[in-house]
Amino acid sequence: MDTQFIRNFSIVAHIDHGKSTLADQLLLKSGAITQREFKEQILDDLSIERDRGITVKARTVAINYTFEGQEYELNLIDTPGHVDFHYEVSRSLAACEGALLLVDAFQGVQAQTVANAYAAIEVDLSIIPVVNKIDLPVTRIDEVLEEIETVLGLEPDDALMISARDGIGVDEVFEAIINRVPPPQGKSDAPLQALVFDSKYDSFRGVMTYVRIMEGTIEKGQRIKFMREGTTYDVLDIGQFRPEMRVCDRLGPGQVGYILTGIKDLGQVHVGDTVTDARQPAEKSLPGYQLPQQMVFAGLYPTDSSDFEKLRDSLQKLSLNDSSFSYMAETSDALGFGFRCGFLGLLHMEIIQQRLEREADVDLIQTAPNVTYELLLRNGETKKIDNPQEVPDAGSIQEFREPIARVNFILPTTGIGPIMQLAADRRGTYISTEYLGTNRALMIYELPLAEVIYDMHDKLKSATRGYGTLDYDVIGFRAADLVKVDVLVKGNRVDALSTIMHRADAERRGRNLVKRLKKEISKHQFEIAIQAAIGGKVIARETISALRKNVTAKCYGGDITRKRKLWAKQREGKKRMRQFGQVEIPQKAFLSVLEAG
Ligand code: GTP
């Protein structure tokens, strides 16, 4: 295929601005899908995505489109729009020459619009601004155009006006892709260099590797080499997504598709790697991508300990499909056998947890999530900490470092005051404010990541009545006065409730935490002391008084059905409880740490 007639592009947007709808509309207009399929939003095929309306996994589709009598191959690389999935955005963008920057005609430029636009600018893509949802009864088109100019530095006159839902302006989108996105470069007879920009596990076919050919040609039967590890394989099959998988004989420069090599383990295919010919390898590999960074960790434990193996199987299955999620067996005195899992962010964690509960049919107890910390020890060693329980004795720590995020808030100007207050409470460093028109502003802060992931999103939403958005990037680690706070229930330390916090907040949070726990843990036959402590020093205490009467005792002498009902109810309630010593601690208590801010 002549590269002159190929265009590779992505659609980048803030969540819900209509990326999937536009992608489907492009498929519909080009005849790749039917009206009925359009309605079913075929690009979001993971049911969980449809439930939450979030595109999680990047997808790619080849579309044939005839313009002025010439047939073009347009490769659309779908990117996820959420803050946790930055790395997937960056990998897919590097496989393109252009991007449609989609902005909602009412909501305007939002935090992830900015983040995604910058990512596209960084890799030198031609950016086509597209204002979507112009059919809405109320729009702010002029202001949105002004935002596109002031925040993103793009020419507002270049913007297209469309309704992805109603199919208005879609021909102009095709025309702009063909006229404004440069065709790919590359020679078909050069040594093969193909960029791996994604991979997916298929239970029948094994690992499917998604590639964009930069130089040369890849053919069925060819012996190829993954340059990073030096491993070689035969290409068993090769094809494109149209949108269903369709095999072809070869892919030439500029083309995008999948290859099957019989690899069974997703961990062997590295995104950002270069595929070359095993016999005539390219001299150099292509510049790689940034690796996905797991910054959030939490423990997942089966409520019923006999489900441990079932949980392990499900975690293994999930990680086959999502190499950015990790798990390791661990034990907790309080929770028994379980797994320590690493996620890209909170949303990623929620999605994994939901999938597990749904697909594995295992009831889970989850511990409060924490971020990764870095320790400089007195013996000169540095140590990464993914679990508060790994924090050594305070005496051996020279410096305790926490990850810092650079956070962009886009919000109505009425939200500026509350956010400044919030950021000050959360140890934020103010960087800048930029006004977008008269009513909205972009504020930038540096904040500890731990403060961002816990509840910043909810706090922002309530401070701005739902209109504020945020986006963050981890910029590094910084030393802070951090301590590990332990929780003791009836004198026993509950390891899964330990948390790392700033010393200045420890007393207040410790007090809130024990108060919360008091509410979550029900009365027992005896008194229960709940304490928060740093090292040996108790900083807060609450007491749950003993039950006065035995509830079942009341039924003695009579009504057996009532007694049975009561027992059944108690059993139900126990499902998500953990017996710790003599005390029963419900699932919710393990997340109290989050609400103790
Ligand atoms: P994520 O996949 O979650 O990132 O969202 P997305 O950007 O792909 O948005 P999606 O296409 O799922 O659209 C979000 C919502 O906006 C859906 O309810 C769409 O029906 C609606 N929508 C998309 N385009 C239009 C449009 O042109 N007009 C109107 N009125 N609604 C639209």
Side-chain angles (χ1 to χ4, degrees):
M1 174 117 206
D2 190 338
T3 54
Q4 212 186 317
F5 304 116
I6 299 176
R7 300 290 183 273
N8 294 322
F9 70 103
S10 274
I11 305 175
V12 293
H14 188 78
I15 185 165
D16 274 350
H17 283 195
K19 196 179 54 201
S20 306
T21 310
L22 176 59
D24 289 355
Q25 190 60 253
L26 294 176
L27 289 176
L28 176 68
K29 278 265 152 65
S30 67
I33 60 166
T34 63
Q35 187 71 36
R36 188 180 58 80
E37 288 169 319
F38 172 67
K39 293 224 170 79
E40 288 173 1
Q41 283 247 351
I42 53 129
L43 283 187
D44 284 347
D45 70 1
L46 292 165
S47 64
I48 196 143
E49 291 183 359
R50 219 173 298 146
D51 290 355
R52 312 187 108 237
I54 296 165
T55 311
V56 178
K57 199 72 196 152
R59 207 70 44 84
T60 169
V61 196
I63 302 169
N64 283 344
Y65 187 79
T66 305
F67 179 68
E68 295 178 345
Q70 174 62 50
E71 182 162 283
Y72 287 83
E73 180 173 300
L74 311 178
N75 291 302
L76 162 61
I77 290 164
D78 194 16
T79 58
H82 196 274
V83 56
D84 283 358
F85 303 101
H86 262 319
Y87 82 104
E88 285 205 353
V89 176
S90 66
R91 22 162 140 163
S92 42
L93 288 179
C96 304
E97 278 79 30
L100 302 174
L101 183 77
L102 201 62
V103 186
D104 183 299
F106 177 72
Q107 290 191 0
V109 170
Q110 297 289 344
Q112 274 124 57
T113 320
V114 179
N116 288 328
Y118 286 172
I121 291 166
E122 232 162 66
V123 282
D124 265 342
L125 303 192
S126 301
I127 299 175
I128 303 169
V130 180
V131 178
N132 186 31
K133 308 197 190 181
I134 57 164
D135 61 279
L136 287 172
V138 185
T139 57
R140 302 189 302 119
I141 293 177
D142 289 341
E143 289 149 80
V144 172
L145 289 174
E146 195 185 323
E147 291 168 8
I148 289 176
E149 186 174 17
T150 50
V151 192
L152 308 174
L154 299 171
E155 180 53 57
D157 292 340
D158 291 346
L160 305 177
M161 299 290 148
I162 71 161
S163 164
R165 191 195 62 185
D166 298 348
I168 301 168
V170 179
D171 291 335
E172 286 75 14
V173 174
F174 278 119
E175 197 179 321
I177 293 167
I178 289 165
N179 289 332
R180 297 201 228 159
V181 175
Q185 309 279 318
K187 289 188 211 70
S188 54
D189 53 1
L192 174 66
Q193 280 182 315
L195 186 63
V196 177
F197 66 89
D198 203 356
S199 61
K200 201 181 158 189
Y201 181 77
D202 180 296
S203 44
F204 298 109
R205 305 177 180 96
V207 175
M208 289 199 284
T209 307
Y210 292 37
V211 290
R212 146 81 198 257
I213 316 298
M214 306 306 277
E215 291 285 350
T217 307
I218 192 164
E219 288 179 337
K220 191 173 166 173
Q222 188 174 353
R223 187 88 187 153
I224 53 163
K225 177 157 117 182
F226 286 83
M227 290 183 83
R228 184 172 145 168
E229 303 273 350
T231 45
T232 63
Y233 300 91
D234 288 329
V235 177
L236 304 179
D237 238 327
I238 189 166
Q240 288 173 304
F241 298 97
R242 285 184 171 276
E244 76 290 348
M245 289 171 72
R246 196 178 299 169
V247 291
C248 60
D249 295 332
R250 65 178 61 78
L251 291 173
Q255 284 189 296
V256 176
Y258 65 86
I259 50 177
L260 294 171
T261 48
I263 298 175
K264 291 283 177 228
D265 173 10
L266 202 57
Q268 294 203 359
V269 177
H270 303 283
V271 164
D273 199 357
T274 305
V275 171
T276 191
D277 186 279
R279 295 185 183 90
Q280 284 175 293
E283 269 173 32
K284 277 201 307 206
S285 48
L286 299 159
Y289 302 84
Q290 156 200 357
L291 280 172
Q293 263 186 328
Q294 288 165 355
M295 293 305 298
V296 177
F297 288 80
L300 289 180
Y301 290 81
T303 314
D304 181 348
S305 52
S306 63
D307 280 340
F308 179 78
E309 286 304 327
K310 208 160 139 193
L311 179 59
R312 184 203 294 278
D313 284 349
S314 316
L315 288 169
Q316 192 190 356
K317 231 185 257 161
L318 266 181
S319 71
L320 283 178
N321 281 306
D322 183 352
S323 51
S324 53
F325 144 75
S326 69
Y327 65 100
M328 248 174 73
E330 72 168 2
T331 35
S332 147
D333 297 337
L335 297 172
F337 292 101
F339 296 91
R340 188 95 203 143
C341 303
F343 310 93
L344 300 173
L346 279 194
L347 176 86
H348 190 209
M349 180 174 83
E350 259 179 57
I351 289 173
I352 297 275
Q353 200 196 353
Q354 277 187 19
R355 277 197 189 149
L356 277 175
E357 296 218 355
R358 183 179 309 184
E359 287 160 26
D361 192 26
V362 176
D363 277 336
L364 297 173
I365 287 188
Q366 189 206 312
T367 65
N370 61 269
V371 298
T372 300
Y373 293 89
E374 207 176 79
L375 291 179
L376 175 61
L377 301 176
R378 292 216 184 273
N379 66 9
E381 254 180 70
T382 48
K383 191 175 172 187
K384 284 240 160 148
I385 298 272
D386 295 334
N387 186 341
Q389 292 162 54
E390 294 163 11
V391 176
D393 217 38
S396 61
I397 304 171
Q398 171 107 18
E399 208 170 76
F400 209 141
R401 299 170 185 153
E402 62 180 343
I404 301 293
R406 191 181 169 91
V407 188
N408 291 345
F409 295 97
I410 291 198
L411 70 183
T413 43
T414 50
I416 291 181
I419 291 304
M420 288 184 109
Q421 184 58 49
L422 180 67
D425 291 347
R426 300 294 158 92
R427 300 185 284 126
T429 309
Y430 173 79
I431 304 294
S432 64
T433 306
E434 195 179 324
Y435 287 87
L436 324 172
T438 45
N439 298 322
R440 288 167 15 106
L442 163 65
M443 291 182 86
I444 303 179
Y445 270 93
E446 283 176 13
L447 280 149
L449 181 65
E451 305 285 346
V452 180
I453 64 159
Y454 288 163
D455 63 351
M456 194 61 85
H457 218 258
D458 297 341
K459 286 273 186 322
L460 170 70
K461 289 286 171 199
S462 56
T464 60
R465 277 192 266 121
Y467 288 113
T469 51
L470 71 81
D471 183 84
Y472 65 82
D473 239 339
V474 176
I475 54 172
F477 284 79
R478 220 171 264 168
D481 191 6
L482 300 166
V483 288
K484 181 173 72 141
V485 175
D486 293 320
V487 172
L488 295 94
V489 174
K490 209 166 177 287
N492 295 313
R493 193 170 65 91
V494 182
D495 51 5
L497 282 173
S498 297
T499 36
I500 294 167
M501 44 181 102
H502 198 263
R503 194 184 299 274
D505 297 330
E507 247 178 62
R508 181 175 52 83
R509 287 192 174 171
R511 261 198 310 273
N512 287 346
L513 177 57
V514 291
K515 266 201 203 114
R516 281 241 151 229
L517 288 170
K518 183 180 174 179
K519 272 197 208 138
E520 305 289 356
I521 299 174
S522 47
K523 289 190 179 186
H524 286 55
Q525 306 287 357
F526 41 82
E527 189 179 274
I528 305 166
I530 305 174
Q531 297 165 304
I534 301 174
K537 189 172 159 249
V538 174
I539 54 168
R541 176 190 167 120
E542 290 282 338
T543 310
I544 302 176
S545 56
L547 262 183
R548 284 226 200 98
K549 280 187 200 132
N550 184 338
V551 198
T552 49
K554 269 191 199 157
C555 316
Y556 276 139
D559 193 353
I560 186 73
T561 23
R562 173 148 174 250
K563 224 191 287 182
R564 271 213 200 101
K565 252 190 216 155
L566 196 64
W567 286 333
K569 218 159 141 200
Q570 282 177 350
R571 252 200 317 272
E572 187 60 30
K574 261 183 208 158
K575 261 178 84 183
R576 289 208 175 201
M577 296 250 192
R578 268 305 178 154
Q579 187 82 26
F580 185 66
Q582 297 160 290
V583 183
E584 273 183 350
I585 304 179
Q587 141 81 31
K588 264 190 82 191
F590 292 97
L591 292 172
S592 306
V593 178
L594 284 184
E595 284 141 22

